[in-house]
Amino acid sequence: MSARDQSSPHWNDPGAAKGGMHPDLHADASSRSLRTPSISCVVPAFNEAQNLPRLLPVLIDQLRLLTNSWEIVIIDDGSSDTTLATLQPWLNGPGVVCLALSRNFGKEAALGAGLDHARGDVVITLDADLQHPVELLAPMLTSWREGSDMVYAVRADRSAESALKRFGARVFYSLMRFGSSIEIPPHAGDFRLMDRCVVDALCALPERTRFMKGLYAWVGYRSSAIEFTPPPRLAGNSGFGVRALFSLAASGITAFSNLPLRLASALGFVLAFIAIAYGMWVMIDHFINGGDVAGWATIVVGLMFFSGVQLLFIGVLGEYLGRVYEEVKLRPRYIVARRLGSSQIDMPPPSLSAQPR
Ligand code: UDP
Ligand code: MG
């Protein structure tokens, strides 16, 4: 694990890309280095009964080293194991809060619920399975003190992942780079530190289908990266199989790129051009050379090909239409069934209900 580029972080701010420290950073960095921020850790948990009792003690130890005002917001994302019961000893004392969602809403929604309820000056999101090392919290906070509003951890090594997953990640990031105007840093996940201003911006976004990796990049702010090598999952299995990852990638692409729609138009244009050229060639061949008009096989092949292309792109249109339908239904992104435990951070608690935005 290594902190990368701490002295010259990569800023999303184009003004700072020319080199040197952004002028605002001097002011921010000096005010931030003078105060100890309150810290919220947001931990989505789906069937993590075996991992949370290992994570919480080390995470609490780290937080105590960094600040005297902290909270850990665990989002029980409709777990079917004993995750909630396992948390009980920590929920009796101040500091650990659990939001029990009414069912499994998925990691993106669980993260959204955590961000909506976190109260810290600084919010850190991390997984419950100890794949996000808590020792990185200190260097992340150092980067925040130096002026970064968002510090994201980048996986330095993906060799432990399956070849299919790595290939999928490569294709996904290439597509996003080519087809989207926002720049999503490759191999950065949900392990990140965010200043209150970033969290407020994320929480104010009205969309329901949330692709967090894209939204982090979309909101902008001064960002820097820290490299790490994730250890294997402590216990249990990943909730993201090939199907879930494919669906996540599809929602990322449809949320941040119109490339598939443009491809449809481009392919339609090229095929129409080929069809017209072929039609003209057949006519010229018939009238000038007296050649036979090609038979039914050509027609059947042509028909099948064009029907296939049309169906494919009706499917692409359907994907986008489905996303629009999800948005117009205006359903809440998650429902908090119960809120347990109490925070150490001194603020009135947010309302218990789901937050329809
Ligand atoms: N998770 C969640 N809801 C889900 C699936 C996963 O809250 O529906 C949580 C999970 O408990 C973990 C984090 O999201 O804390 C990352 O999940 P996982 O380790 O399965 O993903 P991977 O590390 O394989 O990307
Ligand atoms: Mg994991």
Side-chain angles (χ1 to χ4, degrees):
M1 187 192 328
S2 67
R4 187 183 70 173
D5 215 3
Q6 291 274 313
S7 54
S8 58
H10 139 70
W11 307 114
N12 273 350
D13 182 345
K18 294 182 189 98
M21 205 176 186
H22 191 286
D24 293 348
L25 293 188
H26 292 292
D28 271 7
S30 59
S31 75
R32 283 180 185 180
S33 62
L34 292 177
R35 67 191 173 102
T36 307
S38 54
I39 303 179
S40 299
C41 279
V42 168
V43 185
F46 177 57
N47 293 342
E48 301 285 8
Q50 287 171 285
N51 293 325
L52 284 171
R54 303 280 292 276
L55 170 75
L56 285 173
V58 285
L59 184 55
I60 291 172
D61 284 350
Q62 274 293 323
L63 286 170
R64 283 194 178 130
L65 290 177
L66 299 173
T67 179
N68 43 24
S69 179
W70 55 268
E71 63 174 4
I72 299 172
V73 182
I74 296 167
I75 305 92
D76 177 15
D77 188 15
S79 298
S80 52
D81 69 354
T82 53
T83 295
L84 208 55
T86 313
L87 286 175
Q88 209 49 56
W90 285 278
L91 295 174
N92 294 332
V96 179
V97 176
C98 177
L99 304 172
L101 302 190
S102 60
R103 65 168 172 85
N104 178 248
F105 281 86
K107 185 184 178 186
E108 310 289 297
L111 274 175
L115 293 181
D116 285 340
H117 287 78
R119 307 158 174 194
D121 300 326
V122 157
V123 179
I124 298 167
T125 49
L126 74 162
D127 287 357
D129 55 6
L130 281 107
Q131 286 197 286
H132 295 164
V134 297
E135 301 80 55
L136 233 60
L137 263 53
M140 280 175 155
L141 199 65
T142 308
S143 272
W144 174 83
R145 286 216 160 87
E146 288 167 358
S148 298
D149 295 318
M150 177 143 51
V151 189
Y152 54 87
V154 179
R155 269 164 289 184
D157 181 14
R158 298 190 78 138
S159 56
E161 292 175 356
S162 72
L164 185 65
K165 211 168 166 180
R166 272 180 288 152
F167 174 72
R170 226 182 9 252
V171 171
F172 173 75
Y173 285 114
S174 312
L175 277 177
M176 288 305 272
R177 213 174 16 251
F178 185 64
S180 164
S181 55
I182 56 157
E183 202 182 312
I184 299 182
H187 315 305
D190 291 311
F191 185 22
R192 51 185 76 213
L193 176 150
M194 287 168 272
D195 184 79
R196 172 56 39 202
C197 61
V198 179
V199 177
D200 287 346
L202 283 171
C203 292
L205 294 176
E207 59 226 79
R208 248 134 276 272
T209 318
R210 294 192 155 220
F211 178 66
M212 293 306 291
K213 280 191 184 76
L215 295 179
Y216 296 133
W218 188 88
V219 293
Y221 291 97
R222 296 166 303 214
S223 306
S224 59
I226 283 185
E227 269 189 3
F228 81 116
T229 303
R233 191 172 229 285
L234 190 69
N237 296 318
S238 167
F240 290 88
V242 173
R243 228 175 102 194
L245 284 174
F246 190 77
S247 151
L248 189 67
S251 72
I253 289 171
T254 48
F256 287 96
S257 169
N258 288 334
L259 181 70
L261 294 173
R262 293 214 178 112
L263 269 182
S265 318
L267 193 65
F269 184 78
V270 170
L271 287 178
F273 182 79
I274 293 173
I276 291 169
Y278 180 65
M280 284 170 71
W281 181 80
V282 169
M283 269 187 357
I284 291 166
D285 188 48
H286 179 68
F287 287 116
I288 295 178
N289 305 328
D292 281 344
V293 177
W296 64 272
T298 327
I299 299 171
V300 170
V301 170
L303 261 179
M304 282 173 73
F305 177 68
F306 286 110
S307 319
V309 170
Q310 275 172 10
L311 281 178
L312 177 74
F313 285 109
I314 289 174
V316 171
L317 272 179
E319 272 294 315
Y320 281 89
L321 191 64
R323 306 286 166 201
V324 175
Y325 185 47
E326 282 300 315
E327 296 297 317
V328 296
K329 279 191 281 192
L330 291 181
R331 285 185 190 150
R333 289 181 281 128
Y334 57 84
I335 297 172
V336 180
R338 271 181 296 168
R339 186 192 154 100
L340 307 157
S342 58
S343 172
Q344 279 194 0
I345 301 175
D346 202 17
M347 264 171 73
S351 79
L352 219 175
S353 62
Q355 316 227 332
R357 288 173 193 282

